[in-house]
Amino acid sequence: MVLQAVFFYIFAGICVASAVMVIASRNPVHSVLFLILAFFNAAGLFILLGAEFLAMLLVVVYVGAVMVLFLFVVMMLDVDFVELRQGFLQYLPVGALVGIILLVELLLGLGAWVIGPEVTAQVATPTPALSEASNIQALGEVIYTRYVYFFQVAGLVLLVAMVGAIVLTLRHKEGVRRQDVSAQVARNKATAIEVRKVETGKGI
Amino acid sequence: MVTELPDLMPVLPELLLAVGALFLLMVGVFGGERSTPVVTGMSVAVLTVAAVMLIASPGEGVTFGGAFLQDGFSRYLKILTLIGSGLAIAMSVAYARNEHFERFEYPVLIVLATLGMLLMLSANDMIALYLGLELQSLALYVVASINRDSVRSTEAGLKYFVLGALSSGMLLYGMSLVYGFTGQTGFGPIAAALSAEGTSLGLTFGLVFILAGIAFKISAVPFHMWTPDVYEGAPTPVTAFFAAAPKIAAMGMLTRIVIDAFQPVGSDWQQIVVFVAIASMALGAFAAIGQRNIKRLMAYSSISHMGYALVGLAAGSETGVEGVVVYLTAYMAMTLGAFACILAMRRKEGMVEEIDELAGLSRNNLPMAVLLAIILFSLAGIPPFVGFFAKFYVFRAAVEAGLYPLAVIGVLTSVVGAYYYLRIVKVMFFDDPAQKFLPMPGELKVVLGLSGAFVLFFSVFAGPVVALASEAAKTLF
């Protein structure tokens, strides 16, 4: 248990510190790298909770795909962040006001916090128990049966997102030379080679 | 391990739309841009078949572990939504041809958005509600900026997307709070938990966030800011679609969630709905007065009409929900007719959108002027047109529930609103004629004729429509 607590504080501490660095660092590339560090530590926290599948997913999806994409965008777009930050201070009073109101609301909400009896009952008995099945097995047992409707609708949402991205960005340009494999394979001696007689002393 | 296949009978229309949309996407991708007319025609056919299925087969019940609910209420509003979407696609044909944005993805995205709306209307669980809403919203963001070479269209899409994402965030935050305080995501179990444990401050927070998120979707004040810009910037057939179908679906969803899930804390949501209704009616009426662009004017008009529909919901009674259903029916008929006229405002040099361009329409095109005048009278709530009856039902419900101030404010704002509708009538009938419009395409004539007939002769067949509406409302209680 001591070891677990030590690791919890290591992961949580680095996670919070790197999250602060994400918004504090001047160089956007450093921000992205700190965000990756934060994700890795969050994955560590998931492992401590026994949710190994979520931890792997976090690393694979967020670090492997999303953050690499972020890094590309930051490096390619050449956004001048110093210029973006100019005039940042003039929003401070409004921002502070919104922040204070949100803080008060959160305190009010937390003050009223009671955990419903159903919630504690559900937390006490994950379905099925961790000792019986691994995360992936437990997820697989419900995702295509009990939650098949949500799963399918989420698939449709992703389809719409993909269609939308294509509709808004794809342009069929004229005069682009695309590779046409069947045309390449269909070439034979008759269509590919032209035999000409070349007279001596003259070019073609 | 053997699991039973869930009962698919209640979801047949949705399955048809999903499979149909995928099939049409295939046809479009392999057929290229040439297949646009085919895809457009077939998408209208798919929506029609789905509506016929809903009319013909009862197929009611709860399925997918209580996440999906088909009852009289959802069936009525689904049929209405399908009619709205189908007519919106039909109305876009001539415009797309003239403005060169014929793309086969447009009808497919509308079918997918309609599928999202049907799922919203059938949602009986927070997760199902959110997924349906996102399916609808994502498709709407894309169709708002479908004319991607126009700066205004892309700006409309971007604004709608950013603010829509914010509202989805608020909705999710509210849902997570409600889940935290009740331990449930299903509407029925939430209501049971609420009546067992009563309300708490945190739950009220969740309720407020959920209502704020949905108020954005129906463009109710104070979450209406996006509406005029998006209505003005999006291509006109898209605006017609935005004004009709998504409003009905979101309103139906709001009605179900407050009646089914939050009935035990009725007084909590009632005061929010009363405030939003009053603010929407008042802002819609006053802000529309200064508008010169008819699409912006329709945006403010739709804001105030959502306010009137909310008056019925604020009553929280069976007559109130009946009023909401009647109001949505009337609103869709009037909106589609008005937009058929706006889409016909076309000269050789292109589309025009200013109200002054309608000057002297009665001398250039008398039938269109008369029908548009009837629709505008109806929007203003003047008897014997449908708009009057719709307002009558919601105000009656409010008075029955003892909400006298709300009803009085509603009547006063509709008097203010009558000014700007009647101003258009004045411009059409008494100003010097402007240049003639090009002849109206056939499909717009059909839509305008149907809408005009519904608005004009509603008093004749009011009985059956109201009977259907009250039957639909009864299933919620």
Side-chain angles (χ1 to χ4, degrees):
Chain A
M1 284 319 270
V2 178
L3 201 62
Q4 220 171 9
V6 169
F7 272 105
F8 171 79
Y9 284 112
I10 291 175
F11 285 140
I14 297 179
C15 191
V16 172
S18 53
V20 170
M21 285 308 290
V22 172
I23 50 171
S25 65
R26 287 192 164 275
N27 189 333
V29 178
H30 293 175
S31 290
V32 174
L33 292 175
F34 274 116
L35 198 53
I36 293 175
L37 186 61
F39 278 137
F40 264 106
N41 286 286
L45 289 176
F46 274 129
I47 287 183
L48 287 184
L49 284 173
E52 78 277 355
F53 182 63
L54 267 184
M56 291 308 129
L57 219 56
L58 192 69
V59 172
V60 172
V61 175
Y62 277 90
V63 178
V66 177
M67 293 321 293
V68 171
L69 208 64
F70 257 44
L71 210 54
F72 265 114
V73 171
V74 167
M75 285 176 167
M76 286 174 77
L77 278 187
D78 189 28
V79 183
D80 193 347
F81 282 88
V82 180
E83 199 175 297
L84 272 183
R85 277 186 196 165
Q86 273 173 5
F88 194 64
L89 273 182
Q90 74 192 36
Y91 297 115
L92 188 68
V94 183
L97 185 71
V98 173
I100 289 170
I101 291 173
L102 271 181
L103 184 70
V104 171
E105 282 181 348
L106 272 178
L107 287 179
L108 279 174
L110 283 179
W113 192 259
V114 278
I115 293 175
E118 295 89 351
V119 180
T120 33
Q122 279 170 1
V123 168
T125 54
T127 45
L130 271 176
S131 54
E132 286 171 24
S134 70
N135 280 194
I136 302 173
Q137 213 178 341
L139 205 60
E141 273 174 15
V142 288
I143 201 164
Y144 300 106
T145 54
R146 196 174 149 197
Y147 297 117
V148 64
Y149 172 61
F150 303 146
F151 186 70
Q152 292 297 330
V153 179
L156 276 176
V157 172
L158 290 179
L159 175 77
V160 170
M162 193 185 75
V163 172
I166 293 172
V167 168
L168 294 182
T169 54
L170 181 69
R171 280 172 201 276
H172 292 287
K173 275 189 193 160
E174 298 293 321
V176 176
R177 287 166 175 246
R178 287 212 173 76
Q179 189 176 23
D180 186 349
V181 177
S182 56
Q184 287 174 340
V185 173
R187 271 159 70 102
N188 57 23
K189 203 164 81 181
T191 57
I193 303 173
E194 193 181 349
V195 183
R196 284 201 190 180
K197 286 241 179 327
V198 182
E199 287 179 44
T200 320
K202 289 184 180 174
I204 295 175
Chain B
M1 193 172 106
V2 182
T3 44
E4 273 179 53
L5 195 69
D7 181 15
L8 291 180
M9 280 313 281
V11 275
L12 273 186
E14 283 77 8
L15 277 179
L16 175 79
L17 283 194
V19 175
L22 297 182
F23 175 72
L24 290 177
L25 204 56
M26 283 299 175
V27 171
V29 168
F30 285 106
E33 293 297 312
R34 283 170 289 121
S35 59
T36 308
V38 179
V39 175
T40 310
M42 281 165 77
S43 58
V44 175
V46 166
L47 293 174
T48 316
V49 173
V52 170
M53 278 164 91
L54 280 167
I55 295 170
S57 76
E60 291 181 3
V62 181
T63 183
F64 293 124
F68 187 96
L69 169 72
Q70 179 83 295
D71 59 4
F73 180 74
S74 70
R75 267 179 66 205
Y76 184 97
L77 289 181
K78 276 179 185 180
I79 293 166
L80 211 57
T81 309
L82 286 167
I83 294 173
S85 300
L87 291 182
I89 295 180
M91 276 160 57
S92 73
V93 175
Y95 181 92
R97 201 184 316 122
N98 295 328
E99 302 288 312
H100 307 291
F101 83 99
E102 273 189 301
R103 316 197 55 188
F104 71 86
E105 290 98 338
Y106 175 68
V108 175
L109 282 169
I110 291 205
V111 171
L112 284 166
T114 312
L115 173 63
M117 291 172 210
L118 300 198
L119 298 182
M120 281 156 68
L121 285 169
S122 269
N124 194 29
D125 183 291
M126 292 287 187
I127 304 173
L129 182 149
Y130 179 71
L131 286 171
L133 188 68
E134 276 309 283
L135 183 59
Q136 178 237 26
S137 305
L138 267 179
L140 292 190
Y141 304 146
V142 180
V143 291
S145 45
I146 189 98
N147 196 1
R148 60 186 183 186
D149 295 323
S150 145
V151 178
R152 284 167 68 212
S153 177
T154 42
E155 186 193 328
L158 191 65
K159 265 186 191 160
Y160 194 20
F161 174 66
V162 171
L163 291 173
L166 187 70
S167 82
S168 286
M170 287 200 277
L171 190 66
L172 274 181
Y173 186 48
M175 284 177 182
S176 65
L177 280 175
V178 169
Y179 175 63
F181 280 92
T182 59
Q184 303 291 347
T185 57
F187 289 173
I190 287 177
L194 285 180
S195 42
E197 292 165 41
T199 181
S200 62
L201 191 61
L203 190 102
T204 314
F205 269 94
L207 181 61
V208 171
F209 274 106
I210 288 177
L211 289 183
I214 300 178
F216 175 89
K217 301 290 175 193
I218 58 169
S219 69
V221 179
F223 304 99
H224 65 285
M225 270 76 102
W226 58 277
T227 325
D229 290 343
V230 172
Y231 274 41
E232 192 189 357
T236 314
V238 176
T239 314
F241 173 60
F242 277 14
K247 293 282 168 66
I248 291 165
M251 200 67 204
M253 180 182 87
L254 175 63
T255 308
R256 185 186 295 285
I257 194 171
V258 294
I259 301 284
D260 272 5
F262 296 111
Q263 188 60 20
V265 290
S267 58
D268 282 358
W269 58 260
Q270 202 175 23
Q271 48 184 327
I272 302 172
V273 172
V274 167
F275 166 75
V276 171
I278 290 176
S280 306
M281 291 188 296
L283 186 124
F286 285 104
I289 290 174
Q291 300 304 324
R292 297 264 159 267
N293 182 304
I294 195 154
K295 277 160 84 180
R296 282 188 90 83
L297 183 113
M298 288 307 290
Y300 285 108
S301 159
S302 86
I303 292 173
S304 66
H305 281 291
M306 284 302 118
Y308 294 119
L310 285 173
V311 169
L313 184 59
S317 58
E318 201 181 305
T319 37
V321 176
E322 182 191 322
V324 172
V325 174
V326 173
Y327 204 96
L328 290 178
T329 316
Y331 170 76
M332 199 191 73
M334 298 185 292
T335 307
L336 287 176
F339 271 99
C341 290
I342 296 174
L343 278 164
M345 291 169 63
R346 186 179 155 73
R347 298 216 178 91
K348 257 191 233 89
E349 60 270 19
M351 298 290 296
V352 287
E353 295 173 357
E354 299 299 305
I355 291 170
D356 294 337
E357 306 283 353
L358 284 165
L361 186 68
S362 61
R363 262 161 281 178
N364 289 336
N365 188 347
L366 187 64
M368 178 177 158
V370 169
L371 283 172
L372 183 56
I374 288 174
I375 290 167
L376 289 170
F377 278 128
S378 172
L379 281 166
I382 293 168
F385 304 119
V386 65
F388 166 75
F389 291 102
K391 285 202 171 78
F392 171 74
Y393 279 107
V394 290
F395 289 148
R396 190 191 61 174
V399 168
E400 272 177 18
L403 298 166
Y404 297 108
L406 184 62
V408 171
I409 293 174
V411 173
L412 288 178
T413 53
S414 60
V415 173
V416 176
Y419 164 74
Y420 61 82
Y421 294 123
L422 296 184
R423 186 167 63 100
I424 305 177
V425 176
K426 177 234 157 204
V427 167
M428 286 195 302
F429 280 86
F430 301 111
D431 284 9
D432 290 330
Q435 230 184 323
K436 277 192 181 182
F437 295 129
L438 291 177
M440 205 171 182
E443 62 271 12
L444 292 184
K445 277 185 191 156
V446 172
V447 173
L448 181 58
L450 285 176
S451 150
F454 185 85
V455 169
L456 186 57
F457 299 119
F458 182 75
S459 46
V460 178
F461 52 83
V465 174
V466 174
L468 282 174
S470 74
E471 212 168 289
K474 209 170 281 166
T475 56
L476 270 190
F477 290 90

